[in-house]
C-alpha cells in the first residue's frame, strides 16, 4: 500500500521498525514500474477525497507513540509532493557535481542559455 492510500484510508499509521521491510527494486525498470503504480494509486486516492476529508486529522505513530498529527491534506502534501521535490533537488546537485546536464522538469533549467 502506498503512503497516499494509507493517508486516505486510515486515520493513522503506526510504524514499527522491527517489522519494516524496505522496498528493494530488482531493476531500474522495476523501480519505475513501482513508482508509476504508486503514483497512480495516490492520484486515485486524492481524486476520491473531499475538502472535508482533507481537513480531518491524521497521525503518525512510531511504536504506539504519536509523533505528529496534522490535517490529512498537509500530510499527503508533505509525504508525497514535498518529498519528491526534495529528492529531485538532491539529484540535480549530484548531476551538477558530475558535470552531467540537468534535465528540465518544468521548462528550461537555469543551466541552459537561451
Amino acid at each position: 500500500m502506498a503512503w497516499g492510500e494509507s493517508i486516505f484510508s486510515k486515520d493513522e499509521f503506526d510504524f514499527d521498525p522491527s517489522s519494516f521491510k524496505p522496498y528493494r527494486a530488482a531493476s531500474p525498470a522495476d523501480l519505475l514500474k513501482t513508482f508509476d503504480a504508486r503514483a497512480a494509486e495516490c492520484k486515485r486516492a486524492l481524486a476520491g477525497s473531499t475538502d472535508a476529508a482533507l481537513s480531518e486529522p491524521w497521525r503518525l505513530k512510531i511504536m504506539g507513540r504519536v509523533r505528529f498529527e496534522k490535517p490529512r491534506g498537509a500530510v499527503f502534501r508533505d509525504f508525497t509532493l514535498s518529498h519528491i521535490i526534495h529528492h529531485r533537488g538532491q539529484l540535480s546537485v549530484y548531476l551538477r557535481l558530475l558535470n552531467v546536464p540537468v534535465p528540465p522538469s518544468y521548462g528550461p533549467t537555469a543551466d541552459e542559455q537561451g
Side-chain angles (χ1 to χ4, degrees):
M1 178 182 301
W3 271 110
E5 261 190 315
S6 179
I7 292 167
F8 290 102
S9 65
K10 299 177 182 183
D11 292 332
E12 64 185 32
F13 180 77
D14 194 352
F15 178 72
D16 182 352
S18 67
S19 62
F20 176 68
K21 299 210 184 320
Y23 167 74
R24 302 250 189 246
S27 66
D30 179 45
L31 178 64
L32 290 173
K33 180 181 173 186
T34 301
F35 178 85
D36 289 342
R38 290 188 178 168
E41 290 168 5
C42 287
K43 285 180 183 180
R44 282 192 298 275
L46 184 58
S49 190
T50 64
D51 287 344
L54 292 172
S55 298
E56 293 173 359
W58 189 90
R59 290 168 300 286
L60 174 66
K61 294 181 177 180
I62 299 179
M63 298 178 64
R65 184 174 172 200
V66 175
R67 292 300 182 168
F68 70 78
E69 182 175 308
K70 294 181 182 182
R72 191 178 311 270
V75 174
F76 179 76
R77 181 195 62 229
D78 290 350
F79 280 19
T80 58
L81 302 175
S82 296
H83 192 83
I84 291 170
I85 291 165
H86 160 75
H87 285 292
R88 185 176 58 219
Q90 284 184 315
L91 177 62
S92 67
V93 169
Y94 289 127
L95 291 174
R96 284 190 175 105
L97 288 171
L98 295 169
N99 292 316
V100 174
V102 176
S105 295
Y106 304 106
T109 68
D111 300 335
E112 295 176 17
Q113 300 295 321

